[in-house]
Amino acid sequence: MPQLNHFDVIVIGSGPGGEGAAMGLTKAGLDVAVIEKESSVGGGCTHWGTIPSKALRHAVSRIIEFNNNPIFHTENTELHSTFSTILSHAKNVIDKQTKLRQGFYDRNQCTIINGTASFTDEHTVQVIHSDGSIDYYSANKFVIATGSRPYHPNDVDFSHERIYDSDSILSLEHDPRHIIIYGAGVIGCEYASIFRGLGVKTDLINTRDRLLAFLDNEISDSLSYHFWNNGVIIRNDETYQSIEGVDDGVIVNLKSGKKMKADCILYANGRTGNTDTLNLEAVGLEADSRGQLKVNSNYQTTVAHIYAVGDVIGYPSLASAAYDQGRFTAQAISQGQAANRLIEHIPTGIYTIPEISSVGKTEQELTAAKVPYEVGRSAFQHLARAQIAGKDVGSLKILFHRETKEILGIHCFGGRSSEIIHIGQAIMEQKGEANTIEYFVNTTFNYPTMAEAYRVAALNGLNRLF
Ligand code: FAD
């Protein structure tokens, strides 16, 4: 065995989970190394997931905004763009994010080791570098933050040039006129917005009976309506019989007997935790059928000195939560216990066009639990700021207890929803009487702003009480 480099903690993976852990640990004075199999830091979040999809979506929504605004365009000046063109915007953002994140590691003197890690025993990992050379490193503790990847069913040939997943779609070079998106979860719906916004004929195959069933029904219905209105063909309750790549595209046979052909397919149905290459047997750990690891409230796996965070532990599988989980793990390692927990109501931000964001309970959940709630609504079309910005599609809905007036859920549909939601979230997080819908009528907001939606919705809801 060659001489080992030893660290207090080795973090495997440099996505938000790994970064949060590494920064917390170095700031606590520990000697930390991060092993990353790619040539630069940032994780799937920066390179294939959150950042590129949001940058693409931003570019598309600006194009739509321009084309819909009579001040900017006439028939002759309408903007047209393609997926490959707007990818350059995403690449710019990825580069900026990567440099920024590399700076965090440099400033905090955290060692970065490039290569693929796997355990050889409880305290040692082997790292295979891109040139094939191998090094070994040991540590007292480990944090597994290896993320997840798109699920690939065995009967779909992902090596075919017209069959993409949410990672490989970023290398799409031809500009499809027609795309099939298989899987109508968050990723499928976001990419449906992007492609349709570019004028690509888009078929969205949903294996469930409604879009994003975890959302409040009205919000999910609104998304279906807007997709329908913009020409996305949604096929609910369908599963594929076969997906066949051909020279000029892809043919999908559905179990219901339907047949579809398009220039390419984006398969976006499920993700798998990246645990298969870690040689977990060497440390006595076992992942479940989705490649995920179980952890306790300190993010400790069943092997006490090995922790896990981010997508590799499953729900909520969000970059936002992964950063926090990483920081909490650093507390658990450096102080013996995580000082904080993930909040109960993690907001959902869905960057479809229009955007969606929610926090707390849905109407269905409250009705099932027999909670006597009331609804306050504000339509964006009546807000001065929305009219000025030409963003009159959308609404904000506040669900509150009709006796205590406690805010129970907030659901927002329309431009900037994922920002607007945080105003309500901050009040919902307050304890006791500080969390009531009355806050929004007893305070003074800037005017005109989208935040005014809270005041309007609160007045609307309180007026329903008798
Ligand atoms: P990752 O970011 O995936 O990082 C894991 C890292 O580990 C990778 O760099 C990988 O190369 C490395 N690694 C893996 N195995 C090894 C190994 N054996 N050795 C060394 N290194 C290894 N979340 C949001 O909050 N908001 C969004 O809007 C959002 N949009 C998304 C859009 C898409 C298309 C996708 C796919 C995801 C999106 N997510 C979003 C989810 C978010 O990207 C993930 O939850 C987040 O990246 C998880 O962070 P992580 O640190 O667990 O893993």
Side-chain angles (χ1 to χ4, degrees):
M1 173 82 73
Q3 203 188 344
L4 297 178
N5 284 316
H6 187 83
F7 295 91
D8 292 328
V9 186
I10 287 179
V11 178
I12 310 176
S14 69
E19 182 188 300
M23 292 304 115
L25 290 162
T26 53
K27 285 185 196 300
L30 295 171
D31 187 15
V32 182
V34 173
I35 305 177
E36 171 52 59
K37 77 176 167 58
E38 298 297 326
S39 56
S40 55
V41 298
C45 172
T46 302
H47 296 277
W48 322 285
T50 313
I51 298 300
S53 60
K54 263 75 271 183
L56 290 167
R57 187 255 183 214
H58 178 81
V60 172
S61 38
R62 289 296 80 82
I63 293 170
I64 295 173
E65 209 172 294
F66 179 88
N67 287 340
N68 285 338
N69 193 329
I71 300 176
F72 299 134
H73 96 100
T74 62
E75 244 172 60
N76 300 331
T77 57
E78 191 156 300
L79 270 181
H80 290 284
S81 197
T82 60
F83 192 78
S84 45
T85 311
I86 59 169
L87 261 178
S88 63
H89 171 55
K91 284 184 181 137
N92 268 334
V93 184
I94 293 170
D95 284 351
K96 284 185 187 159
Q97 281 288 309
T98 307
K99 278 199 194 103
L100 177 88
R101 317 220 90 86
Q102 180 64 46
F104 298 157
Y105 293 104
D106 295 345
R107 274 202 302 283
N108 287 286
Q109 294 173 338
C110 178
T111 306
I112 301 282
I113 300 162
N114 288 108
T116 304
S118 59
F119 287 98
T120 55
D121 66 44
E122 286 203 345
H123 286 279
T124 314
V125 284
Q126 157 191 283
V127 176
I128 306 180
H129 304 286
S130 55
D131 62 1
S133 61
I134 297 179
D135 283 316
Y136 294 84
Y137 300 89
S138 64
N140 301 337
K141 297 195 169 156
F142 292 86
V143 180
I144 299 175
T146 46
S148 64
R149 62 180 183 277
Y151 168 67
H152 281 187
N154 291 333
D155 55 356
V156 178
D157 176 12
F158 285 89
S159 66
H160 191 280
E161 58 179 8
R162 300 295 182 115
I163 301 180
Y164 296 90
D165 62 27
S166 62
D167 290 355
S168 61
I169 197 74
L170 299 172
S171 56
L172 180 82
E173 275 169 5
H174 67 102
D175 289 310
R177 282 171 302 140
H178 184 185
I179 188 168
I180 296 171
I181 299 181
Y182 187 86
V186 174
I187 296 173
C189 287
E190 289 185 353
Y191 271 105
S193 295
I194 292 170
F195 280 105
R196 189 61 205 136
L198 290 169
V200 178
K201 213 167 141 188
T202 304
D203 285 5
L204 181 61
I205 304 178
N206 184 13
T207 56
R208 312 265 169 92
D209 62 354
R210 60 184 300 123
L211 290 185
L212 306 176
F214 59 90
L215 291 175
D216 188 275
N217 280 351
E218 281 187 343
I219 302 289
S220 144
D221 290 346
S222 304
L223 181 66
S224 300
Y225 167 76
H226 277 273
F227 274 178
W228 172 81
N229 200 34
N230 285 305
V232 175
I233 308 283
I234 305 170
R235 297 182 191 272
N236 286 327
D237 256 337
E238 298 277 11
T239 39
Y240 74 85
Q241 181 72 45
S242 64
I243 295 177
E244 193 193 332
V246 290
D247 282 352
D248 61 344
V250 64
I251 296 172
V252 178
N253 292 297
L254 296 174
K255 284 193 176 153
S256 62
K258 296 185 194 78
K259 223 176 164 57
M260 304 159 75
K261 186 172 179 198
D263 298 328
C264 63
I265 188 170
L266 165 60
Y267 188 99
N269 205 33
R271 296 186 65 82
T272 308
N274 290 326
T275 45
D276 50 334
T277 56
L278 288 172
N279 192 27
L280 292 176
E281 307 86 74
V283 289
L285 268 178
E286 202 181 340
D288 67 15
S289 59
R290 287 183 296 173
Q292 293 170 358
L293 293 167
K294 287 209 170 18
V295 291
N296 65 17
S297 57
N298 280 323
Y299 297 95
Q300 231 164 351
T301 65
T302 48
V303 176
H305 70 285
I306 302 182
Y307 297 71
V309 294
D311 280 12
V312 83
I313 61 168
Y315 178 83
S317 292
L318 288 171
S320 50
Y323 281 114
D324 295 337
Q325 291 169 340
R327 279 195 305 113
F328 302 156
T329 303
Q331 293 165 357
I333 292 175
S334 59
Q335 300 161 23
Q337 194 162 333
N340 295 294
R341 296 258 160 96
L342 270 189
I343 52 170
E344 186 189 344
H345 298 299
I346 296 168
T348 308
I350 302 173
Y351 299 82
T352 41
I353 302 172
E355 198 167 304
I356 293 170
S357 196
S358 304
V359 63
K361 303 281 185 213
T362 63
E363 288 207 50
Q364 306 87 271
E365 286 169 336
L366 294 173
T367 303
K370 295 194 165 44
V371 176
Y373 72 92
E374 196 42 273
V375 185
R377 279 205 180 81
S378 161
F380 287 2
Q381 59 178 326
H382 300 137
L383 300 178
R385 181 59 185 256
Q387 291 166 356
I388 292 166
K391 295 212 175 277
D392 52 358
V393 168
S395 71
L396 175 81
K397 171 163 91 171
I398 306 178
L399 309 178
F400 63 101
H401 197 288
R402 62 175 297 127
E403 282 139 29
T404 64
K405 304 198 183 65
E406 180 190 359
I407 302 168
L408 304 167
I410 304 173
H411 304 277
C412 194
F413 183 86
R416 303 268 166 176
S417 288
S418 54
E419 303 282 356
I420 294 168
I421 203 79
H422 293 132
I423 300 166
Q425 183 197 17
I427 302 305
M428 258 183 93
E429 286 287 313
Q430 304 303 309
K431 302 280 172 275
E433 285 183 11
N435 168 15
T436 73
I437 191 168
E438 283 168 329
Y439 172 83
F440 297 116
V441 291
N442 293 335
T443 195
T444 305
F445 283 134
N446 280 332
Y447 177 83
T449 56
M450 293 305 289
E452 197 203 351
Y454 281 96
R455 189 179 62 82
V456 175
L459 285 168
N460 174 263
L462 289 168
N463 283 340
R464 286 171 196 274
L465 298 180
F466 55 89

